[in-house]
Structures are given as structure tokens and as C-alpha cells.
Amino acid sequence: MKAHEIVAEEREETHMAHEHIESSVTGNIRNSSIELLRLLSMLMIVGCHFVRGAEPGQYGEWVAAQPLSITKFMYQVIYMGGGWIGDVVFFTISVWFLLDRNLTIKNSFKRIWLLERELLFWSLTLFVVTLVLHRTGVYSGGITYVGIQSILPISMNLWWYPTSYALFLLFLPYLSRGLRALSKNCMVLWH
């Protein structure tokens, strides 16, 4: 192969890679690398919750009580620290895919309504499980407040991430407009 053929082939590969990235952002083709990163971030979040413990106020006390070892280091640094990193990565990927869409306050309310319906289904399902566990004596916590939270999962902040995500969706059209205006102003300043 001659040098100009190699350069032309590299340009074609680069062009195809850029098309793949653009199409993965717009949703035409799924980018397996991004999906793998999203999956890894979910595993990091689950690992953090596993190490942290299920009881409120028990933020990894069983890990802190362990003697100094490589295992303790792995639990504290990799699993517990990875949960926060996983949250940020997962949120960033979600926002990345949202920014290419038509962002209006009406669309944001539609997305929040869909999210509320999904959360309502799961919160009521889990509430029924909690009622059964309460009757059998496995769950001894209060039922009234959990029931109210289950009826209004986003409004009552049943789970912090969906509530934060819903609030972010409300502000996203305005943030997007502001960022686009800011980028146009920055382009004028740099040229």
C-alpha cells in the first residue's frame, strides 16, 4: 500500500467512527461502550449499597470495625467510593442522551409523569411486600409514613435519585438554552 492510500483509509475509518459516535448520541445505533460504562456504574452503585448496609445511620460501620487489611481497603475505597462515582457517571450519561432531544418544559413534564407512573407501580408493589413482611414480623418499622411515600414517590422523596432526576428535568430546558447561548457568546469572544 502506498502512503496516500493509507492516509485515505485512516480518514475513512475516522469518519466512520465519528458517524458511529454521532448516531449513538442521537439514538440510531447503540454504542456498546457507553452501555458498558452505564452497566459498570450501576454495579458500582449496587456494590456501594452492599458494603454500606441496609439500616439507616449504619454507613459501613461493619467495615470500619474490621482490622486493617487489603480487604478493608477494597471495601472502603473501591466499593464505597465507587458508589458516588457510579452516580455521577450514570447521571452524566443520562444527561448526554437527553441533550440531543427537543427540550421543552412540556416534554420535561411528560418525562416526569412517565417516571412517576413507573415509580408508583414499583413503590406500591414494594409497599404490599412490606405489608406482608410487617404482618409476619420480619419488618417492624412504621407503615403509615411508608404508605404515604409509596403513593407519592417523587413528591415525598421515597428514593432520592428519581426525585433529583425529576427536579433536574424541570430545569433542563432552561439549562440547555443557557448553555447554548453561552457557547455562542464564547465563540464570539474567541474569534
Side-chain angles (χ1 to χ4, degrees):
M1 258 190 180
K2 295 181 182 176
H4 70 280
E5 292 174 347
I6 293 173
V7 170
E9 187 176 306
E10 287 177 358
R11 281 187 189 153
E12 186 177 329
E13 287 175 3
T14 305
H15 180 68
M16 287 176 23
H18 285 287
E19 283 180 352
H20 178 70
I21 290 170
E22 289 172 8
S23 64
S24 69
V25 170
T26 58
N28 295 338
I29 297 174
R30 288 195 172 246
N31 187 338
S32 59
S33 301
I34 299 296
E35 296 299 324
L36 180 63
L37 184 61
R38 185 182 273 185
L39 178 67
L40 288 174
S41 66
M42 286 187 268
L43 289 175
M44 292 166 72
I45 294 165
V46 170
C48 176
H49 284 273
F50 170 72
V51 172
R52 193 182 106 190
E55 298 296 321
Q58 183 193 29
Y59 195 78
E61 291 175 10
W62 69 274
V63 175
Q66 301 294 317
L68 188 60
S69 66
I70 292 176
T71 306
K72 180 179 180 176
F73 175 79
M74 293 291 286
Y75 279 136
Q76 286 184 322
V77 174
I78 304 298
Y79 288 117
M80 290 178 83
W84 297 108
I85 294 168
D87 281 339
V88 171
V89 169
F90 190 85
F91 181 76
T92 304
I93 291 171
S94 299
V95 170
W96 175 262
F97 287 118
L98 280 175
L99 286 177
D100 247 10
R101 299 183 178 193
N102 183 15
L103 298 172
T104 63
I105 195 70
K106 183 178 178 181
N107 288 347
S108 291
F109 275 115
K110 282 182 183 177
R111 287 179 140 307
I112 292 170
W113 176 241
L114 289 172
L115 179 65
E116 178 74 26
R117 290 189 331 207
E118 290 175 16
L119 290 175
L120 184 63
F121 170 77
W122 288 111
S123 64
L124 290 176
T125 302
L126 291 173
F127 181 63
V128 168
V129 171
T130 304
L131 285 174
V132 170
L133 293 175
H134 185 70
R135 285 188 171 246
T136 59
V138 175
Y139 177 74
S140 60
I143 292 293
T144 308
Y145 188 66
V146 174
I148 294 169
Q149 281 184 313
S150 297
I151 294 169
L152 302 166
I154 289 180
S155 302
M156 296 296 292
N157 195 19
L158 180 60
W159 297 296
W160 74 268
Y161 189 87
T163 303
S164 301
Y165 186 71
L167 287 172
F168 179 77
L169 285 175
L170 286 176
F171 292 110
L172 185 61
Y174 306 110
L175 289 171
S176 175
R177 241 180 260 140
L179 288 173
R180 285 194 174 115
L182 182 65
S183 67
K184 289 177 185 175
N185 289 339
C186 289
M187 293 299 252
V188 170
L189 290 175
W190 289 105
H191 287 289

